[in-house]
Amino acid sequence: MSVRMFRWRQTPMRVDAARHGSTIRLRDGEGESRTWETRRLGPAEFRVRESTSDGRHHTVFAVRSGRNWWVHLDGRTYHLKQIAARGTERTAGELTSPIPGTVTEIPVSNGDTVEAGQVVMVISAMKMQLEITAPHAGVVRGLGLAVGDPVDGGRELLMIEAFDG
């Protein structure tokens, strides 16, 4: 499950996405879930179509540039700014690499305490630096990578074990 945090009109939004072939299931922060049929139009352009239970279709065009997304839906364009690092969270606190790349920085070690949003790793890919941040406060566990190690997209990077409540 890919987890992204965006800001729209000064309001933070969490979006969870799970891809299955050409379909993607999106769940927003309030738990509302929708399934969309997707088609890639270009390197950062997508057409997304939702079929609703009443038989209507919605077509969404989404264009990404860095941390900015422009989403065109039903005649309106929305600008969303990604505010959290591009990490993938498969289970609570488990971070995976969003793309293939090379580890260029690891400012934490196993056993370190981190805050939510703190950079825990930097991955370089195609002259871009991607900061991976902690999804919540906790303790770093399962870190077995070193600077210079290659990583595949989807590879587990480390775990942030949440503090006991």
Side-chain angles (χ1 to χ4, degrees), residues 4 40 43-46 62-70 82 86 99 128:
R4 303 252 197 259
R40 183 179 291 273
E45 295 180 63
F46 305 88
V63 178
R64 177 180 50 151
S65 176
R67 291 183 172 229
N68 292 289
W69 286 79
W70 286 268
Q82 188 172 333
R86 289 172 234 161
I99 61 171
M128 295 186 312

PDB file of all heavy atoms in Angstrom, residues 4 40 43-46 62-70 82 86 99 128:
ATOM      1  N   ARG A   4       0.723   8.484   0.786  1.00  0.00           N
ATOM      2  CA  ARG A   4       1.179   9.819   0.440  1.00  0.00           C
ATOM      3  C   ARG A   4       0.405  10.838   1.277  1.00  0.00           C
ATOM      4  O   ARG A   4      -0.779  10.662   1.543  1.00  0.00           O
ATOM      5  CB  ARG A   4       0.918  10.133  -1.035  1.00  0.00           C
ATOM      6  CG  ARG A   4       1.553   9.163  -1.987  1.00  0.00           C
ATOM      7  CD  ARG A   4       2.711   9.838  -2.678  1.00  0.00           C
ATOM      8  NE  ARG A   4       3.120   9.138  -3.862  1.00  0.00           N
ATOM      9  CZ  ARG A   4       4.160   8.339  -3.912  1.00  0.00           C
ATOM     10  NH1 ARG A   4       4.865   8.120  -2.860  1.00  0.00           N
ATOM     11  NH2 ARG A   4       4.506   7.755  -5.031  1.00  0.00           N
ATOM     12  N   ARG A  40      -1.606   5.003 -18.095  1.00  0.00           N
ATOM     13  CA  ARG A  40      -0.498   5.954 -18.143  1.00  0.00           C
ATOM     14  C   ARG A  40      -0.471   6.595 -19.520  1.00  0.00           C
ATOM     15  O   ARG A  40      -0.467   5.925 -20.531  1.00  0.00           O
ATOM     16  CB  ARG A  40       0.821   5.248 -17.857  1.00  0.00           C
ATOM     17  CG  ARG A  40       2.020   6.190 -17.828  1.00  0.00           C
ATOM     18  CD  ARG A  40       3.298   5.451 -17.509  1.00  0.00           C
ATOM     19  NE  ARG A  40       3.342   4.980 -16.144  1.00  0.00           N
ATOM     20  CZ  ARG A  40       3.778   5.708 -15.118  1.00  0.00           C
ATOM     21  NH1 ARG A  40       4.196   6.931 -15.312  1.00  0.00           N
ATOM     22  NH2 ARG A  40       3.794   5.211 -13.914  1.00  0.00           N
ATOM     23  N   PRO A  43       5.219   9.969 -18.832  1.00  0.00           N
ATOM     24  CA  PRO A  43       6.032   9.651 -17.665  1.00  0.00           C
ATOM     25  C   PRO A  43       5.398  10.068 -16.348  1.00  0.00           C
ATOM     26  O   PRO A  43       5.586   9.413 -15.336  1.00  0.00           O
ATOM     27  CB  PRO A  43       7.335  10.403 -17.898  1.00  0.00           C
ATOM     28  CG  PRO A  43       7.271  10.978 -19.252  1.00  0.00           C
ATOM     29  CD  PRO A  43       5.903  10.808 -19.787  1.00  0.00           C
ATOM     30  N   ALA A  44       4.645  11.161 -16.325  1.00  0.00           N
ATOM     31  CA  ALA A  44       4.003  11.610 -15.083  1.00  0.00           C
ATOM     32  C   ALA A  44       2.566  12.039 -15.346  1.00  0.00           C
ATOM     33  O   ALA A  44       2.016  12.864 -14.648  1.00  0.00           O
ATOM     34  CB  ALA A  44       4.800  12.754 -14.468  1.00  0.00           C
ATOM     35  N   GLU A  45       1.935  11.453 -16.363  1.00  0.00           N
ATOM     36  CA  GLU A  45       0.561  11.784 -16.709  1.00  0.00           C
ATOM     37  C   GLU A  45      -0.273  10.512 -16.708  1.00  0.00           C
ATOM     38  O   GLU A  45       0.157   9.483 -17.209  1.00  0.00           O
ATOM     39  CB  GLU A  45       0.475  12.409 -18.098  1.00  0.00           C
ATOM     40  CG  GLU A  45       1.152  13.736 -18.229  1.00  0.00           C
ATOM     41  CD  GLU A  45       1.014  14.263 -19.641  1.00  0.00           C
ATOM     42  OE1 GLU A  45      -0.133  14.514 -20.076  1.00  0.00           O
ATOM     43  OE2 GLU A  45       2.046  14.386 -20.308  1.00  0.00           O
ATOM     44  N   PHE A  46      -1.472  10.607 -16.138  1.00  0.00           N
ATOM     45  CA  PHE A  46      -2.335   9.450 -16.008  1.00  0.00           C
ATOM     46  C   PHE A  46      -3.768   9.838 -16.356  1.00  0.00           C
ATOM     47  O   PHE A  46      -4.188  10.960 -16.104  1.00  0.00           O
ATOM     48  CB  PHE A  46      -2.325   8.932 -14.563  1.00  0.00           C
ATOM     49  CG  PHE A  46      -0.951   8.641 -14.050  1.00  0.00           C
ATOM     50  CD1 PHE A  46      -0.199   9.630 -13.445  1.00  0.00           C
ATOM     51  CD2 PHE A  46      -0.402   7.382 -14.183  1.00  0.00           C
ATOM     52  CE1 PHE A  46       1.069   9.373 -12.976  1.00  0.00           C
ATOM     53  CE2 PHE A  46       0.866   7.112 -13.718  1.00  0.00           C
ATOM     54  CZ  PHE A  46       1.604   8.109 -13.109  1.00  0.00           C
ATOM     55  N   ALA A  62      -4.315  13.374 -14.262  1.00  0.00           N
ATOM     56  CA  ALA A  62      -3.389  13.783 -13.205  1.00  0.00           C
ATOM     57  C   ALA A  62      -2.007  13.946 -13.811  1.00  0.00           C
ATOM     58  O   ALA A  62      -1.543  13.088 -14.554  1.00  0.00           O
ATOM     59  CB  ALA A  62      -3.361  12.734 -12.099  1.00  0.00           C
ATOM     60  N   VAL A  63      -1.367  15.063 -13.505  1.00  0.00           N
ATOM     61  CA  VAL A  63      -0.016  15.345 -13.976  1.00  0.00           C
ATOM     62  C   VAL A  63       0.837  15.655 -12.756  1.00  0.00           C
ATOM     63  O   VAL A  63       0.442  16.449 -11.900  1.00  0.00           O
ATOM     64  CB  VAL A  63       0.007  16.538 -14.956  1.00  0.00           C
ATOM     65  CG1 VAL A  63       1.429  16.849 -15.385  1.00  0.00           C
ATOM     66  CG2 VAL A  63      -0.872  16.250 -16.158  1.00  0.00           C
ATOM     67  N   ARG A  64       2.003  15.021 -12.671  1.00  0.00           N
ATOM     68  CA  ARG A  64       2.897  15.218 -11.538  1.00  0.00           C
ATOM     69  C   ARG A  64       4.167  15.896 -12.002  1.00  0.00           C
ATOM     70  O   ARG A  64       4.731  15.569 -13.038  1.00  0.00           O
ATOM     71  CB  ARG A  64       3.253  13.873 -10.915  1.00  0.00           C
ATOM     72  CG  ARG A  64       4.232  13.997  -9.764  1.00  0.00           C
ATOM     73  CD  ARG A  64       4.550  12.667  -9.183  1.00  0.00           C
ATOM     74  NE  ARG A  64       4.916  11.762 -10.257  1.00  0.00           N
ATOM     75  CZ  ARG A  64       5.735  10.748 -10.134  1.00  0.00           C
ATOM     76  NH1 ARG A  64       6.264  10.466  -8.990  1.00  0.00           N
ATOM     77  NH2 ARG A  64       6.017   9.981 -11.158  1.00  0.00           N
ATOM     78  N   SER A  65       4.638  16.837 -11.198  1.00  0.00           N
ATOM     79  CA  SER A  65       5.934  17.469 -11.404  1.00  0.00           C
ATOM     80  C   SER A  65       6.572  17.607 -10.031  1.00  0.00           C
ATOM     81  O   SER A  65       6.161  18.448  -9.233  1.00  0.00           O
ATOM     82  CB  SER A  65       5.766  18.840 -12.062  1.00  0.00           C
ATOM     83  OG  SER A  65       7.020  19.478 -12.164  1.00  0.00           O
ATOM     84  N   GLY A  66       7.553  16.753  -9.745  1.00  0.00           N
ATOM     85  CA  GLY A  66       8.165  16.762  -8.416  1.00  0.00           C
ATOM     86  C   GLY A  66       7.140  16.419  -7.364  1.00  0.00           C
ATOM     87  O   GLY A  66       6.496  15.378  -7.430  1.00  0.00           O
ATOM     88  N   ARG A  67       6.971  17.307  -6.395  1.00  0.00           N
ATOM     89  CA  ARG A  67       5.988  17.081  -5.332  1.00  0.00           C
ATOM     90  C   ARG A  67       4.640  17.731  -5.624  1.00  0.00           C
ATOM     91  O   ARG A  67       3.766  17.751  -4.783  1.00  0.00           O
ATOM     92  CB  ARG A  67       6.536  17.606  -4.002  1.00  0.00           C
ATOM     93  CG  ARG A  67       7.684  16.770  -3.500  1.00  0.00           C
ATOM     94  CD  ARG A  67       8.150  17.256  -2.159  1.00  0.00           C
ATOM     95  NE  ARG A  67       9.110  16.309  -1.644  1.00  0.00           N
ATOM     96  CZ  ARG A  67       9.072  15.815  -0.440  1.00  0.00           C
ATOM     97  NH1 ARG A  67       8.150  16.187   0.396  1.00  0.00           N
ATOM     98  NH2 ARG A  67       9.976  14.946  -0.047  1.00  0.00           N
ATOM     99  N   ASN A  68       4.482  18.285  -6.813  1.00  0.00           N
ATOM    100  CA  ASN A  68       3.234  18.944  -7.193  1.00  0.00           C
ATOM    101  C   ASN A  68       2.418  18.046  -8.111  1.00  0.00           C
ATOM    102  O   ASN A  68       2.951  17.457  -9.045  1.00  0.00           O
ATOM    103  CB  ASN A  68       3.531  20.260  -7.927  1.00  0.00           C
ATOM    104  CG  ASN A  68       4.134  21.275  -7.012  1.00  0.00           C
ATOM    105  OD1 ASN A  68       3.466  21.811  -6.145  1.00  0.00           O
ATOM    106  ND2 ASN A  68       5.420  21.530  -7.180  1.00  0.00           N
ATOM    107  N   TRP A  69       1.122  17.959  -7.841  1.00  0.00           N
ATOM    108  CA  TRP A  69       0.184  17.217  -8.676  1.00  0.00           C
ATOM    109  C   TRP A  69      -0.913  18.175  -9.108  1.00  0.00           C
ATOM    110  O   TRP A  69      -1.424  18.943  -8.298  1.00  0.00           O
ATOM    111  CB  TRP A  69      -0.458  16.073  -7.888  1.00  0.00           C
ATOM    112  CG  TRP A  69       0.432  14.911  -7.633  1.00  0.00           C
ATOM    113  CD1 TRP A  69       1.399  14.808  -6.683  1.00  0.00           C
ATOM    114  CD2 TRP A  69       0.436  13.678  -8.330  1.00  0.00           C
ATOM    115  NE1 TRP A  69       1.995  13.585  -6.749  1.00  0.00           N
ATOM    116  CE2 TRP A  69       1.427  12.867  -7.746  1.00  0.00           C
ATOM    117  CE3 TRP A  69      -0.305  13.176  -9.395  1.00  0.00           C
ATOM    118  CZ2 TRP A  69       1.690  11.587  -8.203  1.00  0.00           C
ATOM    119  CZ3 TRP A  69      -0.039  11.893  -9.842  1.00  0.00           C
ATOM    120  CH2 TRP A  69       0.949  11.116  -9.241  1.00  0.00           C
ATOM    121  N   TRP A  70      -1.266  18.138 -10.386  1.00  0.00           N
ATOM    122  CA  TRP A  70      -2.428  18.860 -10.881  1.00  0.00           C
ATOM    123  C   TRP A  70      -3.420  17.795 -11.301  1.00  0.00           C
ATOM    124  O   TRP A  70      -3.118  16.943 -12.122  1.00  0.00           O
ATOM    125  CB  TRP A  70      -2.060  19.768 -12.041  1.00  0.00           C
ATOM    126  CG  TRP A  70      -1.309  20.965 -11.583  1.00  0.00           C
ATOM    127  CD1 TRP A  70      -1.834  22.188 -11.242  1.00  0.00           C
ATOM    128  CD2 TRP A  70       0.097  21.078 -11.388  1.00  0.00           C
ATOM    129  NE1 TRP A  70      -0.829  23.031 -10.846  1.00  0.00           N
ATOM    130  CE2 TRP A  70       0.368  22.383 -10.924  1.00  0.00           C
ATOM    131  CE3 TRP A  70       1.168  20.201 -11.544  1.00  0.00           C
ATOM    132  CZ2 TRP A  70       1.641  22.829 -10.625  1.00  0.00           C
ATOM    133  CZ3 TRP A  70       2.437  20.642 -11.248  1.00  0.00           C
ATOM    134  CH2 TRP A  70       2.666  21.946 -10.795  1.00  0.00           C
ATOM    135  N   GLN A  82       2.559  17.509  -2.443  1.00  0.00           N
ATOM    136  CA  GLN A  82       2.937  16.402  -1.584  1.00  0.00           C
ATOM    137  C   GLN A  82       3.765  16.955  -0.438  1.00  0.00           C
ATOM    138  O   GLN A  82       4.728  17.676  -0.638  1.00  0.00           O
ATOM    139  CB  GLN A  82       3.742  15.369  -2.368  1.00  0.00           C
ATOM    140  CG  GLN A  82       3.985  14.112  -1.590  1.00  0.00           C
ATOM    141  CD  GLN A  82       4.615  13.053  -2.466  1.00  0.00           C
ATOM    142  OE1 GLN A  82       4.437  13.047  -3.669  1.00  0.00           O
ATOM    143  NE2 GLN A  82       5.334  12.171  -1.848  1.00  0.00           N
ATOM    144  N   ARG A  86       8.224  10.389  -0.257  1.00  0.00           N
ATOM    145  CA  ARG A  86       7.697   9.311  -1.074  1.00  0.00           C
ATOM    146  C   ARG A  86       8.184   7.978  -0.564  1.00  0.00           C
ATOM    147  O   ARG A  86       9.122   7.417  -1.076  1.00  0.00           O
ATOM    148  CB  ARG A  86       8.131   9.497  -2.519  1.00  0.00           C
ATOM    149  CG  ARG A  86       7.454  10.636  -3.162  1.00  0.00           C
ATOM    150  CD  ARG A  86       8.069  10.872  -4.486  1.00  0.00           C
ATOM    151  NE  ARG A  86       8.442  12.273  -4.463  1.00  0.00           N
ATOM    152  CZ  ARG A  86       9.309  12.832  -5.240  1.00  0.00           C
ATOM    153  NH1 ARG A  86       9.951  12.145  -6.109  1.00  0.00           N
ATOM    154  NH2 ARG A  86       9.560  14.099  -5.145  1.00  0.00           N
ATOM    155  N   ILE A  99      11.175   3.722  -5.569  1.00  0.00           N
ATOM    156  CA  ILE A  99      11.758   3.560  -6.905  1.00  0.00           C
ATOM    157  C   ILE A  99      13.114   2.883  -6.771  1.00  0.00           C
ATOM    158  O   ILE A  99      13.702   2.866  -5.686  1.00  0.00           O
ATOM    159  CB  ILE A  99      11.942   4.915  -7.618  1.00  0.00           C
ATOM    160  CG1 ILE A  99      12.892   5.803  -6.807  1.00  0.00           C
ATOM    161  CG2 ILE A  99      10.630   5.600  -7.886  1.00  0.00           C
ATOM    162  CD1 ILE A  99      13.301   7.063  -7.540  1.00  0.00           C
ATOM    163  N   MET A 128      17.954  12.720  -8.940  1.00  0.00           N
ATOM    164  CA  MET A 128      17.006  13.240  -7.955  1.00  0.00           C
ATOM    165  C   MET A 128      17.366  12.667  -6.597  1.00  0.00           C
ATOM    166  O   MET A 128      17.853  11.543  -6.502  1.00  0.00           O
ATOM    167  CB  MET A 128      15.569  12.823  -8.284  1.00  0.00           C
ATOM    168  CG  MET A 128      15.023  13.393  -9.539  1.00  0.00           C
ATOM    169  SD  MET A 128      13.267  12.988  -9.779  1.00  0.00           S
ATOM    170  CE  MET A 128      13.209  11.242  -9.454  1.00  0.00           C
TER     171      MET A 128
END
